[in-house]
Amino acid sequence: MPPTHDVLPAGHDFAAYARAHWPRLVVTARLLTDDPAAARELVRRTLARMSASWRRVPRDDVDFHVRRALVRGHLRRLRGRRAARRRTVLVLRFWEGLTDAEIAQLLGCSVGAVRAHVRHGLRAAGADAGRLREVYARAAEDVVPGEVPLTEVQARGRVLGRRRVAVAAVACTAVLVPGALFAADRIGAGMEQDGAYGVRDEGGAASPVRVVAPGERVTAGDGVRVWLTADGAHWAVPVPTARPGEQDDTGVPRDEPGVSLRMDGVSGGFLLSGVFHGLDGEPDRVEVRTGDRKSTAKVLVLAGSPGWGLWYASAPVSDDDMKAVLSLGKGGGDERIVTVYDASGKVAARSDRDWWRT
């Protein structure tokens, strides 16, 4: 099994984490790539990405985020190669010692897909689990990680961070400056001003996905806190809403694809949120449509529990807009508020046509 490390002190910084975990990451990358130079470059790129977003990484789930960045960065360069995906699953299972559910969450696939990769991978390798662990252990003994190139990694991270800030600044300018909106509407095909939701992207921007630990509270709106546990999603809502206090959707069957919708009164209108379930991995995006307006919702998923999670709108819906939507629904129209798309861009689930009755 891979070496374990002492628990880093609370509030540890990126440099401490990088120094402590560089050897293990290099070994894992070497088992994935079978190339010393490619392995070190993969780990350098991974740590640079983590350095750029270190403040946003949950401190009790750092290893998950680093592993996910490492394996997805590796597979992204080998897109479409089934053998590479199978090898990745075998390394995660028999070297990193992760469970099938944890691997599924890392790769954004189902537990069944992971088990299939394990079966086919073992058959192709001509070895059983015990034999493969021995092979990995011997291969790891030959790896010499060297010192972490911390200065280079942090410099790359600063460059990535500046790029993200620049992209965010351009996006904010486009939303906040009417002239920029008008120019973008004239120049960019398929783009139009979208009221409270900013700019509408007809191409379908992916939903921001955040992986959370069980019970980790996230602020979804003014006074609304949401969190996930193994038995379901939970909301703590403010007094002005029709359903103040804490609610949950525990005990709801999650085998079949579906998505729920709820409204909570907040300052400035209503916050829309709900739970999606029955998916094969993480959703690509969750789209919220209110009349002729639409936005891309944010998504929370629970580490180690793929296929379901909580979504919430990035901005409240005004009272007037919700009245218009309710009128359409009660009038017998087909107003589907929420649509969940899978990784292939296909519709995986849609909210009920008569959601407003609840």
Side-chain angles (χ1 to χ4, degrees):
M1 296 299 293
T4 58
H5 301 278
D6 294 335
V7 176
L8 293 172
H12 67 273
D13 61 8
F14 171 78
Y17 183 91
R19 292 190 186 97
H21 291 76
W22 169 262
R24 177 181 64 81
L25 291 171
V26 171
V27 172
T28 299
R30 175 68 179 276
L31 296 177
L32 291 174
T33 63
D34 199 25
D35 183 321
R40 289 184 175 83
E41 178 58 23
L42 174 60
V43 178
R44 281 195 291 265
R45 290 199 312 269
T46 299
L47 289 178
R49 290 173 61 87
M50 299 309 300
S51 174
S53 58
W54 188 248
R55 294 181 180 179
R56 299 192 297 274
V57 178
R59 286 298 180 266
D60 56 355
D61 207 20
V62 176
D63 286 344
F64 172 84
H65 287 267
V66 175
R67 280 197 187 101
R68 185 170 70 164
L70 182 78
V71 299
R72 292 190 176 184
H74 169 60
L75 293 174
R76 191 178 299 116
R77 298 173 66 86
L78 302 171
R79 188 178 300 277
R81 298 187 186 181
R82 183 175 299 178
R85 197 169 183 86
R86 287 178 180 173
R87 181 171 184 158
T88 298
V89 170
L90 293 179
V91 170
L92 293 174
R93 187 73 177 84
F94 301 114
W95 169 251
E96 290 282 348
L98 303 185
T99 65
D100 294 338
E102 289 171 330
I103 297 172
Q105 187 67 51
L106 280 172
L107 300 182
C109 64
S110 68
V111 173
V114 170
R115 291 171 179 166
H117 282 312
V118 171
R119 288 195 305 271
H120 295 307
L122 288 174
R123 188 180 304 120
D128 58 20
R131 174 64 177 162
L132 197 58
R133 288 191 181 96
E134 293 177 1
V135 171
Y136 286 156
R138 286 200 300 269
E141 292 175 356
D142 297 332
V143 178
V144 181
E147 293 294 327
V148 54
L150 189 59
T151 301
E152 177 191 347
V153 165
Q154 291 180 314
R156 286 190 183 187
R158 286 191 292 271
V159 171
L160 290 174
R162 286 195 293 269
R163 288 177 182 172
R164 291 175 180 175
V165 170
V167 171
V170 171
C172 290
T173 301
V175 172
L176 297 175
V177 180
L181 280 174
F182 177 77
D185 195 36
R186 292 289 300 274
I187 298 173
M191 304 289 286
E192 64 183 38
Q193 188 173 348
D194 200 26
Y197 295 107
V199 175
R200 174 178 177 178
D201 183 357
E202 296 291 345
S207 285
V209 177
R210 176 175 175 179
V211 182
V212 295
E216 180 182 345
R217 266 56 171 180
V218 175
T219 300
D222 188 9
V224 179
R225 302 263 284 176
V226 295
W227 63 97
L228 299 174
T229 62
D231 58 353
H234 304 259
W235 290 262
V237 295
V239 175
T241 188
R243 296 178 290 180
E246 293 190 4
Q247 296 98 35
D248 61 63
D249 76 332
T250 56
V252 176
R254 306 194 189 282
D255 295 336
E256 295 296 325
V259 58
S260 64
L261 169 63
R262 59 178 281 147
M263 295 191 308
D264 289 302
V266 297
S267 176
F270 293 90
L271 179 72
L272 304 186
S273 62
V275 174
F276 62 87
H277 49 81
L279 274 64
D280 184 11
E282 295 177 2
D284 178 71
R285 76 180 190 276
V286 178
E287 182 182 278
V288 182
R289 183 182 294 272
T290 52
D292 60 350
R293 304 173 186 270
K294 75 174 183 179
S295 66
T296 300
K298 297 180 180 179
V299 170
L300 300 181
V301 294
L302 186 64
S305 298
W308 73 279
L310 186 147
W311 66 269
Y312 61 94
S314 56
V317 180
S318 69
D319 295 348
D320 291 340
D321 287 340
M322 282 312 307
K323 289 177 182 178
V325 173
L326 287 169
S327 297
L328 288 173
K330 294 178 180 180
D334 185 17
E335 182 65 19
R336 303 297 188 104
I337 303 299
V338 187
T339 304
V340 182
Y341 297 88
D342 62 19
S344 66
K346 297 180 180 179
V347 174
R350 301 183 74 188
S351 55
D352 292 337
R353 184 178 289 109
D354 57 350
W355 63 272
W356 52 273
R357 294 183 183 276
T358 62

